[in-house]
Amino acid sequence: MKLVSWNVNGLRACVTKGFTDYFQQADADIFCVQETKLQEGQIELDLGSEYRQYWNYALKKGYSGTAVFTRIPPLSVRYGMEEDSEPEGRTLTLEFEDFYLVNVYTPNAKRDLSRLEYRLEWEERFRGYLQQLDGIKPVIVCGDLNVAHQEIDLKNAKSNQGNSGFTLEERGKMTELLASGFIDTFRFFYPDRTDAYTWWSFMPKVRERNIGWRIDYFLASSRLAEHLAGAEIDCHVMGSDHCPISLTLRESFSAKPE
């Protein structure tokens, strides 16, 4: 089973820059996107009849939002954490027979860290939510987590110390999340790989010089380790300031597309 995640930074714009071509090429069983930046009825996305589409729109126009396109019919779908609604459309949970999939767009602390306190409180709720799900069946989490966990996960660690996405507080929350029973699947396969990034600034020549951050992740319940077959970063794919990432599960792991 193959899963893909991509922060498209505006799906309507990304569609004009090759999204559909990549979607077809990826041939994923489950494809998750973040920062759709649209409302219901603002896009007609023809991905083929085998894919079901689930959308969590933000109330604010042109902001945030998540979506999941899946060949495998979910048993249930939840829009948000505590309740079945969420004003910023940041989480979308699909329950399958053998696992939960949580697609997430974690709040940004903002450049001036004005939203750091909210971000940390949100992280606490999110970890509790994942632990609750994990108590029922294994969980796969994907999306833009808006944090470079370790110095290896960004190009200029020293100069970015304390900046949004690389504060000790945000990094600490990621450490706590992993310690609560989750695997960073990319580091599971590539613990020492450097220069592996998923986001680059729009400043000139930054992406060409690969001055980036790894802030997009697939996390998995630790007990799924034996089912993990591969994790990749498709850094060559353009269309957004982020690139797609993927997770492949072994055939022994149940998947039942229609």
Side-chain angles (χ1 to χ4, degrees):
M1 176 167 35
K2 182 179 181 181
L3 300 89
V4 170
S5 175
W6 192 4
N7 180 325
V8 292
N9 192 16
L11 184 55
R12 285 172 293 179
C14 195
V15 164
T16 69
K17 300 174 184 177
F19 174 85
T20 305
D21 290 338
Y22 175 75
F23 182 90
Q24 293 172 347
Q25 171 196 328
D27 192 30
D29 296 293
I30 303 173
F31 196 114
C32 301
V33 295
Q34 306 87 41
E35 268 202 289
T36 54
K37 292 186 175 180
L38 49 79
Q39 313 303 124
E40 185 173 8
Q42 289 189 313
I43 193 171
E44 288 290 335
L45 196 60
D46 183 6
L47 301 176
S49 59
E50 72 266 40
Y51 285 98
R52 290 168 165 81
Q53 302 186 21
Y54 300 93
W55 302 80
N56 194 4
Y57 306 102
L59 295 181
K60 181 180 178 181
K61 293 183 178 179
Y63 179 74
S64 190
T66 49
V68 177
F69 314 127
T70 174
R71 285 172 169 156
I72 308 168
L75 302 178
S76 66
V77 181
R78 187 167 188 174
Y79 304 82
M81 286 189 281
E82 290 86 352
E83 300 178 1
D84 203 27
S85 64
E86 184 181 23
E88 295 187 354
R90 291 188 176 274
T91 62
L92 190 52
T93 303
L94 276 65
E95 178 187 4
F96 298 101
E97 184 174 348
D98 298 299
F99 68 103
Y100 286 102
L101 173 78
V102 180
N103 182 22
V104 61
Y105 175 42
T106 300
N108 191 305
K110 291 193 173 181
R111 184 178 293 272
D112 61 0
L113 301 183
S114 60
R115 220 180 186 202
L116 179 60
E117 184 177 348
Y118 170 77
R119 157 76 180 259
L120 298 178
E121 182 271 333
W122 191 93
E123 292 267 20
E124 286 289 318
R125 289 190 289 119
F126 186 59
R127 187 174 74 251
Y129 176 61
L130 296 183
Q131 288 177 307
Q132 178 186 19
L133 295 178
D134 194 45
I136 303 170
K137 61 178 72 173
V139 179
I140 296 173
V141 184
C142 70
D144 177 0
L145 301 189
N146 259 318
V147 62
H149 185 215
Q150 305 289 356
E151 291 190 358
I152 195 176
D153 294 316
L154 72 168
K155 188 68 171 183
N156 296 317
K158 289 184 178 179
S159 62
N160 279 294
Q161 294 281 354
N163 286 346
S164 176
F166 200 58
T167 63
L168 289 176
E169 294 89 344
E170 291 166 301
R171 296 169 64 193
K173 290 299 182 189
M174 173 62 99
T175 298
E176 290 178 31
L177 176 55
L178 295 176
S180 71
F182 290 90
I183 297 169
D184 175 349
T185 61
F186 184 79
R187 289 294 170 217
F188 178 81
F189 289 102
Y190 309 108
D192 302 314
R193 180 174 289 184
T194 60
D195 300 320
Y197 309 125
T198 66
W199 174 82
W200 302 262
S201 164
F202 280 125
M203 293 177 63
K205 303 297 182 181
V206 165
R207 188 156 184 176
E208 291 88 333
R209 295 162 60 197
N210 197 27
I211 303 174
W213 297 47
R214 189 175 73 95
I215 60 176
D216 302 87
Y217 297 81
F218 269 101
L219 309 181
S221 295
S222 297
R223 62 189 184 278
L224 291 180
E226 65 182 293
H227 299 291
L228 304 179
E232 301 298 335
I233 296 174
D234 289 340
C235 58
H236 64 285
V237 177
M238 310 300 283
S240 168
D241 52 345
H242 296 249
C243 73
I245 60 174
S246 65
L247 175 67
T248 304
L249 300 169
R250 298 188 185 281
E251 290 184 8
S252 59
F253 190 74
S254 179
K256 298 176 181 177
E258 287 193 334

